[in-house]
Amino acid sequence: MKQDWNLGDSPDLTREKIALKITQLYVNIRDDGTWKQELAQTDQIIAIATQVAEMKRELASTSIALATATSAGNTNDSTSGVASGKQPYTVKPFCLEFKGESIVVGGTTYYWCTCDHWSNMAKYNGMYCMHCTADHAA
């Protein structure tokens, strides 16, 4: 019908006849449920596309976080704990302050170890640990 109108092949197509045909077409597809099916399919496509877009954003942010964590932990500096195969960590402040060969905190005994230890990517030559100096390499 549109092509006939554009080509001028149907001189009897008036605006009123076109409006009547379009109205009848709408009534027919509404009554037989086609209109609702097409809208439901469109809604599903939009919902799936939205979910895919959200999943892509989540994946991208996860990838960025993973890349940041990997690059932050992947140094070749020979003085870092990561290079020696240990993961960086931060100890509680009491572990860095010498108060004797051993202390008890919260019912746990900690021993002063004079070997190299790492806290917050910094090397310490002594801190309270669960092991003593003699057991450090074991």
Side-chain angles (χ1 to χ4, degrees), residues 11-101:
D12 62 331
L13 281 178
T14 63
R15 290 180 189 212
E16 292 78 24
K17 285 185 179 179
I18 293 172
L20 181 66
K21 287 186 179 209
I22 290 174
T23 303
Q24 188 59 48
L25 177 64
Y26 166 75
V27 169
N28 291 344
I29 62 175
R30 182 196 62 197
D31 290 349
D32 71 5
T34 307
W35 185 267
K36 290 180 184 176
Q37 287 176 341
E38 289 179 10
L39 287 178
Q41 289 172 348
T42 303
D43 289 346
Q44 284 180 332
I45 291 169
I46 292 170
I48 291 170
T50 302
Q51 287 177 338
V52 168
E54 288 174 4
M55 290 170 68
K56 283 182 178 180
R57 277 193 298 274
E58 288 176 22
L59 181 61
S61 66
T62 302
S63 298
I64 290 169
L66 180 59
T68 303
T70 302
S71 65
N74 190 14
T75 81
N76 291 326
D77 181 8
S78 62
T79 62
S80 77
V82 176
S84 66
K86 297 179 181 175
Q87 293 298 315
Y89 60 93
T90 302
V91 297
K92 297 191 189 276
F94 78 85
C95 291
L96 301 174
E97 187 178 332
F98 182 75
K99 294 182 181 177
E101 290 301 313

